[in-house]
Amino acid sequence: MQGAAAQHRCSTPCRLAALACAVTIGLGTALATAASAAPAGTSVGLRTGPLHTDGTRIVDEYGRTILMHGVNNVDKGGSGGQARELVVSGDGFTITPRDAELLAGYGFNAVRLGVSFAGLMPERGRIDHAYIGRVVGMVDMLAAHGIRTLLDNHQDGLSPVWGGNGFPPWSIEARPPPGEPNPGFPLYYLMPSMNVGWDEVWNNDHEVLDRLGDALGALAGAVRGHDGAMGIELLNEPWPGTSAPTCFPVGCPGFDGRYQAALESLTAAVRARNPDIPVYWEPNVTWNQLMPSKLGTERPITDTGIVFAPHDYCVPSQTSIYLGQSTELASLCPAQQDHTWANIDAFTARTGLPTVVTEFGDGDPAVLGNTLRNADERFAGWFYWHYSSTRGADYTEPDPFAAAHAPGQPSIGRHLVRTYPQATAGTPVTMDFDIESGAFSYTYEPGARAQEPGPAARR
Protein backbone atom coordinates (compact mmCIF):
# COMPACT_ATOMS: atom_id res chain seq x y z
CA MET A 1 0.00 0.00 0.00
CA GLN A 2 1.08 3.58 -0.62
CA GLY A 3 -1.31 6.02 1.03
CA ALA A 4 -4.74 5.24 -0.36
CA ALA A 5 -3.26 3.35 -3.27
CA ALA A 6 -4.38 -0.17 -3.98
CA GLN A 7 -1.80 -2.69 -5.10
CA HIS A 8 -2.38 -5.58 -7.48
CA ARG A 9 0.15 -8.35 -8.06
CA CYS A 10 -0.05 -11.22 -10.50
CA SER A 11 2.45 -13.71 -11.89
CA THR A 12 2.14 -15.57 -15.17
CA PRO A 13 3.85 -18.91 -15.82
CA CYS A 14 5.78 -18.82 -19.05
CA ARG A 15 3.49 -21.18 -20.98
CA LEU A 16 0.08 -19.84 -20.04
CA ALA A 17 -2.08 -18.39 -22.79
CA ALA A 18 -3.11 -14.75 -22.58
CA LEU A 19 -5.96 -14.04 -20.19
CA ALA A 20 -7.70 -10.99 -18.77
CA CYS A 21 -7.84 -10.33 -15.06
CA ALA A 22 -9.62 -7.50 -13.25
CA VAL A 23 -7.85 -5.24 -10.82
CA THR A 24 -9.63 -5.86 -7.54
CA ILE A 25 -10.33 -2.24 -6.60
CA GLY A 26 -12.09 0.21 -8.94
CA LEU A 27 -12.64 -0.30 -12.64
CA GLY A 28 -8.94 -0.65 -13.49
CA THR A 29 -8.16 -3.75 -15.51
CA ALA A 30 -4.91 -5.56 -16.19
CA LEU A 31 -4.22 -7.80 -19.14
CA ALA A 32 -2.14 -10.69 -17.84
CA THR A 33 -0.15 -12.40 -20.57
CA ALA A 34 2.84 -14.70 -20.51
CA ALA A 35 6.01 -13.33 -22.02
CA SER A 36 6.47 -16.41 -24.19
CA ALA A 37 2.85 -17.52 -24.40
CA ALA A 38 1.00 -18.55 -27.51
CA PRO A 39 -1.99 -16.29 -28.21
CA ALA A 40 -5.42 -17.33 -27.08
CA GLY A 41 -7.89 -18.45 -29.69
CA THR A 42 -10.16 -15.46 -29.17
CA SER A 43 -9.51 -11.78 -28.77
CA VAL A 44 -9.40 -10.51 -25.19
CA GLY A 45 -9.11 -6.77 -25.82
CA LEU A 46 -11.37 -4.20 -24.20
CA ARG A 47 -14.18 -2.45 -26.02
CA THR A 48 -12.90 0.61 -27.86
CA GLY A 49 -14.42 4.01 -27.26
CA PRO A 50 -13.51 7.67 -27.75
CA LEU A 51 -10.42 8.96 -25.96
CA HIS A 52 -9.39 12.41 -24.82
CA THR A 53 -6.63 13.97 -22.75
CA ASP A 54 -6.81 15.03 -19.11
CA GLY A 55 -3.58 16.71 -18.09
CA THR A 56 -0.80 14.18 -18.59
CA ARG A 57 -3.28 11.28 -18.86
CA ILE A 58 -5.16 9.78 -21.78
CA VAL A 59 -8.65 8.83 -20.60
CA ASP A 60 -11.74 7.13 -22.01
CA GLU A 61 -15.38 8.20 -21.90
CA TYR A 62 -15.63 6.92 -18.31
CA GLY A 63 -12.64 8.94 -17.14
CA ARG A 64 -10.44 5.86 -16.77
CA THR A 65 -6.72 6.21 -17.42
CA ILE A 66 -5.89 4.33 -20.63
CA LEU A 67 -2.52 2.71 -21.36
CA MET A 68 -1.64 1.67 -24.90
CA HIS A 69 0.76 -1.11 -25.87
CA GLY A 70 0.82 -1.44 -29.64
CA VAL A 71 2.73 -2.04 -32.85
CA ASN A 72 3.35 -0.08 -36.02
CA ASN A 73 2.01 -1.22 -39.37
CA VAL A 74 3.19 1.33 -41.92
CA ASP A 75 2.77 0.65 -45.62
CA LYS A 76 5.21 2.83 -47.57
CA GLY A 77 4.02 1.67 -50.96
CA GLY A 78 6.73 -0.75 -52.04
CA SER A 79 10.41 -0.28 -52.79
CA GLY A 80 12.75 -0.12 -55.72
CA GLY A 81 10.27 1.95 -57.71
CA GLN A 82 7.66 -0.81 -57.51
CA ALA A 83 4.67 1.24 -56.35
CA ARG A 84 1.60 -0.63 -55.13
CA GLU A 85 -1.77 0.23 -53.70
CA LEU A 86 -1.57 1.27 -50.05
CA VAL A 87 -3.35 -0.27 -47.05
CA VAL A 88 -4.84 -3.36 -48.63
CA SER A 89 -5.58 -5.99 -46.00
CA GLY A 90 -4.24 -9.33 -47.17
CA ASP A 91 -1.53 -7.94 -49.48
CA GLY A 92 1.15 -9.66 -47.41
CA PHE A 93 2.04 -6.49 -45.52
CA THR A 94 -1.07 -4.80 -44.13
CA ILE A 95 -2.75 -6.27 -41.05
CA THR A 96 -5.53 -8.80 -41.64
CA PRO A 97 -8.28 -10.00 -39.25
CA ARG A 98 -6.06 -12.99 -38.47
CA ASP A 99 -3.24 -10.61 -37.53
CA ALA A 100 -5.66 -8.67 -35.34
CA GLU A 101 -6.56 -11.91 -33.53
CA LEU A 102 -2.86 -12.62 -32.98
CA LEU A 103 -2.17 -9.12 -31.66
CA ALA A 104 -5.20 -9.00 -29.38
CA GLY A 105 -4.44 -12.49 -28.10
CA TYR A 106 -1.02 -11.27 -27.03
CA GLY A 107 -2.57 -8.29 -25.29
CA PHE A 108 -1.78 -5.50 -27.72
CA ASN A 109 -4.55 -2.93 -27.74
CA ALA A 110 -3.39 -0.44 -30.37
CA VAL A 111 -1.94 -0.22 -33.88
CA ARG A 112 -0.19 2.81 -35.37
CA LEU A 113 -1.39 2.56 -38.94
CA GLY A 114 0.62 4.43 -41.54
CA VAL A 115 -1.22 6.70 -43.95
CA SER A 116 0.35 8.82 -46.64
CA PHE A 117 -0.19 12.33 -47.98
CA ALA A 118 0.50 10.83 -51.41
CA GLY A 119 -2.22 8.24 -50.78
CA LEU A 120 -4.73 10.75 -49.42
CA MET A 121 -4.21 13.29 -52.22
CA PRO A 122 -2.43 11.69 -55.19
CA GLU A 123 -3.11 14.76 -57.34
CA ARG A 124 -3.38 18.38 -56.24
CA GLY A 125 -6.81 18.94 -54.77
CA ARG A 126 -8.13 15.42 -55.42
CA ILE A 127 -8.88 13.29 -52.35
CA ASP A 128 -8.70 9.53 -52.93
CA HIS A 129 -11.87 8.45 -51.15
CA ALA A 130 -11.28 4.79 -52.00
CA TYR A 131 -7.98 4.92 -50.10
CA ILE A 132 -9.61 6.63 -47.15
CA GLY A 133 -12.36 4.01 -47.24
CA ARG A 134 -9.76 1.24 -46.89
CA VAL A 135 -8.22 3.06 -43.93
CA VAL A 136 -11.61 3.45 -42.24
CA GLY A 137 -12.26 -0.24 -42.86
CA MET A 138 -9.01 -1.07 -41.08
CA VAL A 139 -9.99 1.12 -38.13
CA ASP A 140 -13.32 -0.68 -37.82
CA MET A 141 -11.82 -4.15 -38.26
CA LEU A 142 -9.24 -3.53 -35.56
CA ALA A 143 -11.87 -2.04 -33.25
CA ALA A 144 -13.90 -5.24 -33.60
CA HIS A 145 -10.91 -7.00 -32.00
CA GLY A 146 -10.60 -4.45 -29.18
CA ILE A 147 -7.69 -2.63 -30.85
CA ARG A 148 -7.57 1.15 -31.28
CA THR A 149 -5.86 2.80 -34.26
CA LEU A 150 -3.50 5.78 -34.29
CA LEU A 151 -3.44 7.18 -37.84
CA ASP A 152 0.16 8.14 -38.62
CA ASN A 153 0.82 10.54 -41.50
CA HIS A 154 4.09 8.87 -42.39
CA GLN A 155 7.07 10.08 -44.37
CA ASP A 156 10.69 9.05 -44.68
CA GLY A 157 12.95 11.03 -46.98
CA LEU A 158 10.18 13.54 -47.76
CA SER A 159 9.00 12.16 -51.10
CA PRO A 160 9.53 9.47 -53.75
CA VAL A 161 11.55 12.17 -55.54
CA TRP A 162 14.45 11.20 -53.26
CA GLY A 163 13.61 7.52 -52.97
CA GLY A 164 11.51 8.17 -49.87
CA ASN A 165 7.79 8.34 -49.25
CA GLY A 166 5.13 10.67 -47.92
CA PHE A 167 4.77 13.93 -49.82
CA PRO A 168 3.49 13.42 -53.39
CA PRO A 169 5.86 14.67 -56.11
CA TRP A 170 3.35 17.31 -57.25
CA SER A 171 3.55 19.01 -53.82
CA ILE A 172 7.31 19.73 -53.91
CA GLU A 173 9.14 21.63 -56.65
CA ALA A 174 12.71 20.88 -55.53
CA ARG A 175 14.48 18.09 -57.40
CA PRO A 176 17.93 16.53 -57.03
CA PRO A 177 20.27 17.87 -59.70
CA PRO A 178 22.04 15.45 -62.02
CA GLY A 179 24.89 13.73 -60.25
CA GLU A 180 23.85 14.55 -56.69
CA PRO A 181 24.73 11.44 -54.65
CA ASN A 182 21.84 9.81 -52.82
CA PRO A 183 23.15 7.68 -49.91
CA GLY A 184 19.66 6.40 -48.99
CA PHE A 185 18.04 6.24 -45.57
CA PRO A 186 18.93 7.86 -43.24
CA LEU A 187 21.80 9.87 -44.74
CA TYR A 188 19.73 11.20 -47.62
CA TYR A 189 18.46 13.85 -45.20
CA LEU A 190 21.83 15.54 -45.73
CA MET A 191 21.21 15.98 -49.47
CA PRO A 192 21.11 19.72 -50.31
CA SER A 193 18.19 19.28 -52.69
CA MET A 194 16.09 17.48 -50.08
CA ASN A 195 16.78 20.24 -47.59
CA VAL A 196 15.46 22.74 -50.12
CA GLY A 197 12.37 20.58 -50.40
CA TRP A 198 11.86 20.60 -46.64
CA ASP A 199 12.22 24.40 -46.64
CA GLU A 200 9.33 24.50 -49.11
CA VAL A 201 7.23 22.62 -46.57
CA TRP A 202 8.02 24.93 -43.64
CA ASN A 203 7.58 28.04 -45.81
CA ASN A 204 4.27 26.65 -47.12
CA ASP A 205 5.53 27.24 -50.64
CA HIS A 206 2.95 26.31 -53.27
CA GLU A 207 0.49 25.94 -50.34
CA VAL A 208 1.94 22.50 -49.57
CA LEU A 209 0.98 22.64 -45.88
CA ASP A 210 -2.50 23.88 -46.77
CA ARG A 211 -3.04 20.93 -49.08
CA LEU A 212 -1.70 18.55 -46.44
CA GLY A 213 -4.21 20.08 -44.04
CA ASP A 214 -6.99 19.43 -46.57
CA ALA A 215 -5.89 15.80 -46.86
CA LEU A 216 -5.66 15.23 -43.10
CA GLY A 217 -8.98 17.02 -42.63
CA ALA A 218 -10.64 14.64 -45.09
CA LEU A 219 -9.19 11.68 -43.17
CA ALA A 220 -10.32 13.14 -39.84
CA GLY A 221 -13.83 13.67 -41.15
CA ALA A 222 -14.01 10.12 -42.44
CA VAL A 223 -13.16 8.58 -39.05
CA ARG A 224 -15.44 10.88 -37.06
CA GLY A 225 -17.81 8.67 -35.09
CA HIS A 226 -15.53 5.63 -35.48
CA ASP A 227 -14.49 5.07 -31.87
CA GLY A 228 -11.57 2.86 -32.84
CA ALA A 229 -9.70 5.94 -34.13
CA MET A 230 -7.63 7.04 -31.12
CA GLY A 231 -5.93 9.98 -32.83
CA ILE A 232 -4.13 11.43 -35.84
CA GLU A 233 -0.36 11.91 -35.84
CA LEU A 234 0.33 14.91 -38.05
CA LEU A 235 3.77 14.08 -39.45
CA ASN A 236 6.33 11.36 -38.84
CA GLU A 237 9.95 12.39 -38.16
CA PRO A 238 9.88 15.90 -39.69
CA TRP A 239 13.30 17.17 -40.76
CA PRO A 240 14.12 20.88 -40.22
CA GLY A 241 15.59 21.37 -43.71
CA THR A 242 18.37 23.95 -43.95
CA SER A 243 17.67 24.92 -40.31
CA ALA A 244 18.90 21.52 -39.12
CA PRO A 245 22.40 22.73 -38.08
CA THR A 246 20.79 25.20 -35.67
CA CYS A 247 19.29 22.26 -33.74
CA PHE A 248 22.72 21.16 -32.49
CA PRO A 249 23.90 20.91 -29.76
CA VAL A 250 20.97 21.98 -27.52
CA GLY A 251 17.86 22.15 -29.69
CA CYS A 252 16.47 24.83 -31.98
CA PRO A 253 13.79 27.13 -30.53
CA GLY A 254 13.80 29.22 -33.70
CA PHE A 255 12.93 26.35 -36.00
CA ASP A 256 10.61 24.71 -33.48
CA GLY A 257 8.64 27.95 -33.29
CA ARG A 258 8.01 27.73 -37.05
CA TYR A 259 7.31 24.03 -36.77
CA GLN A 260 4.82 24.64 -33.97
CA ALA A 261 2.97 27.10 -36.22
CA ALA A 262 2.76 24.38 -38.88
CA LEU A 263 1.44 21.88 -36.33
CA GLU A 264 -1.14 24.39 -35.13
CA SER A 265 -2.33 24.95 -38.69
CA LEU A 266 -2.63 21.22 -39.38
CA THR A 267 -4.37 20.68 -36.03
CA ALA A 268 -6.95 23.33 -36.97
CA ALA A 269 -7.57 21.56 -40.29
CA VAL A 270 -8.13 18.23 -38.50
CA ARG A 271 -10.36 19.74 -35.81
CA ALA A 272 -12.50 21.52 -38.41
CA ARG A 273 -13.66 18.09 -39.52
CA ASN A 274 -13.39 16.15 -36.26
CA PRO A 275 -13.41 18.47 -33.23
CA ASP A 276 -12.74 15.91 -30.50
CA ILE A 277 -10.10 13.59 -31.94
CA PRO A 278 -6.72 13.68 -30.13
CA VAL A 279 -3.89 15.04 -32.26
CA TYR A 280 -0.34 13.70 -31.85
CA TRP A 281 2.64 16.04 -32.30
CA GLU A 282 6.12 14.63 -32.92
CA PRO A 283 9.30 16.55 -32.16
CA ASN A 284 11.50 17.35 -35.12
CA VAL A 285 13.66 14.36 -35.94
CA THR A 286 16.90 15.74 -34.51
CA TRP A 287 15.27 14.41 -31.33
CA ASN A 288 16.55 11.01 -32.47
CA GLN A 289 20.07 12.49 -32.33
CA LEU A 290 19.50 13.46 -28.66
CA MET A 291 18.40 17.06 -29.26
CA PRO A 292 15.58 18.28 -26.97
CA SER A 293 12.31 19.56 -28.39
CA LYS A 294 11.70 23.29 -27.98
CA LEU A 295 8.01 23.10 -28.83
CA GLY A 296 6.11 25.27 -26.39
CA THR A 297 9.08 27.47 -25.44
CA GLU A 298 8.54 30.54 -27.64
CA ARG A 299 4.82 30.42 -26.90
CA PRO A 300 2.72 27.93 -24.94
CA ILE A 301 0.85 25.08 -26.58
CA THR A 302 -2.77 26.15 -26.20
CA ASP A 303 -4.49 23.59 -28.41
CA THR A 304 -6.42 21.01 -26.39
CA GLY A 305 -6.25 17.27 -26.87
CA ILE A 306 -2.57 17.26 -27.90
CA VAL A 307 -0.37 14.21 -27.23
CA PHE A 308 3.44 14.33 -27.44
CA ALA A 309 4.67 11.54 -29.74
CA PRO A 310 8.46 11.12 -29.53
CA HIS A 311 10.50 8.14 -30.70
CA ASP A 312 13.06 6.30 -28.58
CA TYR A 313 15.88 4.87 -30.66
CA CYS A 314 19.46 4.07 -29.67
CA VAL A 315 21.98 5.63 -32.07
CA PRO A 316 24.51 2.71 -31.94
CA SER A 317 21.67 0.25 -32.63
CA GLN A 318 20.45 2.33 -35.57
CA THR A 319 23.91 2.74 -37.11
CA SER A 320 24.40 -1.01 -36.84
CA ILE A 321 21.07 -1.73 -38.57
CA TYR A 322 21.27 0.87 -41.35
CA LEU A 323 24.97 1.66 -41.78
CA GLY A 324 26.59 -1.67 -40.94
CA GLN A 325 28.54 -0.28 -38.01
CA SER A 326 29.79 -2.41 -35.13
CA THR A 327 27.40 -3.27 -32.32
CA GLU A 328 30.15 -2.87 -29.72
CA LEU A 329 28.87 0.55 -28.71
CA ALA A 330 25.44 -0.86 -27.81
CA SER A 331 26.52 -0.77 -24.17
CA LEU A 332 25.96 2.99 -24.41
CA CYS A 333 22.28 2.53 -25.21
CA PRO A 334 20.88 2.58 -21.64
CA ALA A 335 22.57 5.89 -20.85
CA GLN A 336 21.63 7.39 -24.21
CA GLN A 337 17.99 6.33 -23.92
CA ASP A 338 17.82 7.59 -20.33
CA HIS A 339 18.88 10.95 -21.81
CA THR A 340 15.97 10.74 -24.25
CA TRP A 341 13.57 10.11 -21.38
CA ALA A 342 15.05 13.03 -19.45
CA ASN A 343 14.14 15.15 -22.48
CA ILE A 344 10.61 13.71 -22.30
CA ASP A 345 10.43 14.62 -18.61
CA ALA A 346 11.53 18.19 -19.38
CA PHE A 347 8.90 18.49 -22.12
CA THR A 348 6.19 17.13 -19.81
CA ALA A 349 7.14 19.57 -17.04
CA ARG A 350 6.99 22.49 -19.50
CA THR A 351 3.78 21.59 -21.31
CA GLY A 352 1.74 19.27 -19.07
CA LEU A 353 0.93 17.03 -22.07
CA PRO A 354 0.68 13.22 -22.11
CA THR A 355 3.34 11.20 -23.92
CA VAL A 356 3.01 8.13 -26.13
CA VAL A 357 6.23 6.76 -27.68
CA THR A 358 5.14 6.03 -31.23
CA GLU A 359 8.30 4.21 -32.38
CA PHE A 360 11.07 2.22 -30.70
CA GLY A 361 12.95 -1.04 -31.07
CA ASP A 362 13.34 -1.53 -34.82
CA GLY A 363 13.83 -5.29 -34.47
CA ASP A 364 16.70 -5.08 -31.97
CA PRO A 365 15.65 -6.91 -28.77
CA ALA A 366 18.81 -5.75 -27.00
CA VAL A 367 17.40 -2.21 -26.64
CA LEU A 368 13.75 -2.97 -25.91
CA GLY A 369 14.16 -3.16 -22.14
CA ASN A 370 15.51 0.39 -22.01
CA THR A 371 12.33 1.83 -23.51
CA LEU A 372 9.95 -0.46 -21.65
CA ARG A 373 11.53 0.23 -18.26
CA ASN A 374 11.31 3.98 -18.73
CA ALA A 375 7.79 3.80 -20.12
CA ASP A 376 6.56 1.70 -17.20
CA GLU A 377 8.08 4.13 -14.72
CA ARG A 378 6.12 6.99 -16.31
CA PHE A 379 2.98 5.05 -17.30
CA ALA A 380 3.58 6.01 -20.94
CA GLY A 381 2.07 4.11 -23.85
CA TRP A 382 4.13 2.82 -26.75
CA PHE A 383 4.12 1.40 -30.28
CA TYR A 384 6.84 -1.07 -31.27
CA TRP A 385 8.45 -0.67 -34.72
CA HIS A 386 7.49 -2.77 -36.69
CA TYR A 387 4.88 -5.45 -37.41
CA SER A 388 4.18 -6.65 -40.95
CA SER A 389 1.41 -9.15 -41.61
CA THR A 390 2.29 -12.71 -40.71
CA ARG A 391 -1.26 -13.94 -41.30
CA GLY A 392 -1.81 -13.01 -44.93
CA ALA A 393 -3.08 -15.06 -47.82
CA ASP A 394 -0.40 -17.78 -47.61
CA TYR A 395 0.24 -17.72 -43.82
CA THR A 396 3.91 -18.43 -44.41
CA GLU A 397 5.54 -16.13 -41.85
CA PRO A 398 6.43 -17.35 -38.34
CA ASP A 399 4.94 -15.76 -35.26
CA PRO A 400 7.32 -12.82 -34.67
CA PHE A 401 6.58 -12.71 -30.95
CA ALA A 402 7.45 -16.35 -30.32
CA ALA A 403 10.57 -16.81 -32.43
CA ALA A 404 13.99 -16.16 -30.91
CA HIS A 405 15.72 -13.17 -32.49
CA ALA A 406 19.15 -14.84 -32.39
CA PRO A 407 20.76 -17.72 -30.51
CA GLY A 408 21.06 -16.86 -26.85
CA GLN A 409 18.80 -13.83 -27.11
CA PRO A 410 15.21 -13.67 -25.85
CA SER A 411 12.44 -13.24 -28.38
CA ILE A 412 10.97 -9.83 -29.06
CA GLY A 413 7.73 -11.14 -27.61
CA ARG A 414 9.41 -11.95 -24.30
CA HIS A 415 9.87 -8.19 -23.87
CA LEU A 416 6.73 -6.85 -25.54
CA VAL A 417 4.11 -9.36 -24.38
CA ARG A 418 3.64 -8.24 -20.81
CA THR A 419 1.10 -7.67 -18.11
CA TYR A 420 -0.25 -4.12 -17.93
CA PRO A 421 -3.42 -2.28 -16.88
CA GLN A 422 -5.28 -1.26 -20.01
CA ALA A 423 -7.81 0.91 -18.15
CA THR A 424 -7.63 2.19 -14.59
CA ALA A 425 -10.41 3.95 -12.65
CA GLY A 426 -7.91 6.12 -10.86
CA THR A 427 -4.43 7.59 -11.07
CA PRO A 428 -1.45 5.27 -11.67
CA VAL A 429 1.36 5.45 -9.11
CA THR A 430 3.87 2.64 -9.80
CA MET A 431 4.08 -0.28 -12.23
CA ASP A 432 6.67 -3.00 -12.70
CA PHE A 433 6.84 -6.15 -14.82
CA ASP A 434 9.65 -8.71 -14.55
CA ILE A 435 10.19 -10.50 -17.88
CA GLU A 436 12.11 -13.32 -16.18
CA SER A 437 9.47 -14.34 -13.63
CA GLY A 438 6.35 -12.75 -15.06
CA ALA A 439 5.75 -10.99 -11.74
CA PHE A 440 3.71 -7.81 -12.09
CA SER A 441 3.03 -5.14 -9.50
CA TYR A 442 0.86 -2.06 -9.91
CA THR A 443 -0.27 0.63 -7.51
CA TYR A 444 -2.78 3.36 -8.22
CA GLU A 445 -4.95 5.86 -6.41
CA PRO A 446 -8.55 4.73 -6.95
CA GLY A 447 -10.99 7.19 -8.46
CA ALA A 448 -14.74 7.35 -8.30
CA ARG A 449 -16.49 4.57 -10.18
CA ALA A 450 -17.93 6.06 -13.35
CA GLN A 451 -21.53 5.16 -14.10
CA GLU A 452 -21.90 6.71 -17.54
CA PRO A 453 -19.75 8.32 -20.22
CA GLY A 454 -18.37 11.74 -19.32
CA PRO A 455 -19.09 15.00 -21.15
CA ALA A 456 -16.34 14.53 -23.74
CA ALA A 457 -17.96 11.31 -24.95
CA ARG A 458 -21.44 12.85 -25.15
CA ARG A 459 -20.49 15.82 -27.34
Side-chain angles (χ1 to χ4, degrees), residues 309-381:
H311 297 170
D312 183 24
Y313 286 121
C314 173
V315 172
S317 172
Q318 293 284 283
T319 58
S320 172
I321 292 169
Y322 292 104
L323 303 178
Q325 301 297 310
S326 170
T327 61
E328 292 182 359
L329 295 179
S331 60
L332 299 176
C333 287
Q336 184 225 285
Q337 291 179 272
D338 284 350
H339 177 84
T340 295
W341 283 91
N343 286 338
I344 291 175
D345 291 341
F347 182 89
T348 302
R350 183 171 71 248
T351 65
L353 297 179
T355 291
V356 174
V357 174
T358 54
E359 288 187 23
F360 75 103
D362 209 359
D364 183 355
V367 302
L368 297 182
N370 304 328
T371 298
L372 298 172
R373 168 179 53 82
N374 279 291
D376 280 359
E377 289 175 358
R378 295 160 177 83
F379 208 77

Side-chain angles (χ1 to χ4, degrees), residues 68-344:
M68 294 295 169
H69 285 186
V71 298
N72 280 268
N73 183 240
V74 178
D75 189 347
K76 301 180 183 181
S79 59
Q82 301 299 312
R84 55 179 169 77
E85 205 169 26
L86 296 166
V87 188
V88 178
S89 184
D91 64 359
F93 185 95
T94 301
I95 285 175
T96 68
R98 288 282 302 277
D99 290 300
E101 291 178 4
L102 179 80
L103 293 170
Y106 274 133
F108 297 107
N109 63 354
V111 166
R112 182 179 182 243
L113 181 68
V115 297
S116 166
F117 184 15
L120 295 167
M121 188 180 283
E123 300 171 4
R124 183 181 296 272
R126 181 178 72 82
I127 298 295
D128 188 338
H129 294 286
Y131 172 67
I132 290 180
R134 294 195 300 275
V135 172
V136 174
M138 286 290 296
V139 170
D140 291 343
M141 182 274 288
L142 289 167
H145 291 84
I147 296 174
R148 290 183 169 93
T149 303
L150 175 61
L151 298 166
D152 157 43
N153 176 36
H154 206 85
Q155 74 76 36
D156 294 294
L158 185 58
S159 171
V161 170
W162 290 273
N165 57 85
F167 285 74
W170 61 259
S171 68
I172 303 291
E173 286 195 359
R175 294 292 186 271
E180 183 181 26
N182 185 333
F185 181 85
L187 295 180
Y188 55 14
Y189 283 105
L190 302 180
M191 295 175 65
S193 62
M194 186 189 293
N195 280 272
V196 172
W198 277 109
D199 286 353
E200 292 181 29
V201 173
W202 307 129
N203 294 331
N204 197 24
D205 291 344
H206 334 297
E207 299 180 327
V208 56
L209 279 175
D210 296 338
R211 299 292 78 77
L212 175 58
D214 292 343
L216 293 177
L219 176 65
V223 298
R224 185 174 183 177
H226 295 257
D227 288 345
M230 63 177 282
I232 292 179
E233 192 167 342
L234 297 178
L235 187 58
N236 178 72
E237 295 191 343
W239 178 250
T242 58
S243 296
T246 69
C247 297
F248 298 90
V250 291
C252 40
F255 171 76
D256 276 349
R258 295 173 59 203
Y259 174 44
Q260 182 173 331
L263 293 175
E264 291 165 344
S265 175
L266 295 174
T267 298
V270 166
R271 293 279 170 73
R273 302 290 298 276
N274 193 333
D276 299 323
I277 193 167
V279 177
Y280 286 60
W281 289 13
E282 281 202 31
N284 82 66
V285 75
T286 63
W287 173 277
N288 289 0
Q289 288 79 52
L290 306 184
M291 298 304 104
S293 173
K294 299 298 183 178
L295 291 171
T297 55
E298 289 198 339
R299 62 185 183 282
I301 297 171
T302 57
D303 286 301
T304 59
I306 303 301
V307 179
F308 187 49
H311 297 170
D312 183 24
Y313 286 121
C314 173
V315 172
S317 172
Q318 293 284 283
T319 58
S320 172
I321 292 169
Y322 292 104
L323 303 178
Q325 301 297 310
S326 170
T327 61
E328 292 182 359
L329 295 179
S331 60
L332 299 176
C333 287
Q336 184 225 285
Q337 291 179 272
D338 284 350
H339 177 84
T340 295
W341 283 91
N343 286 338
I344 291 175

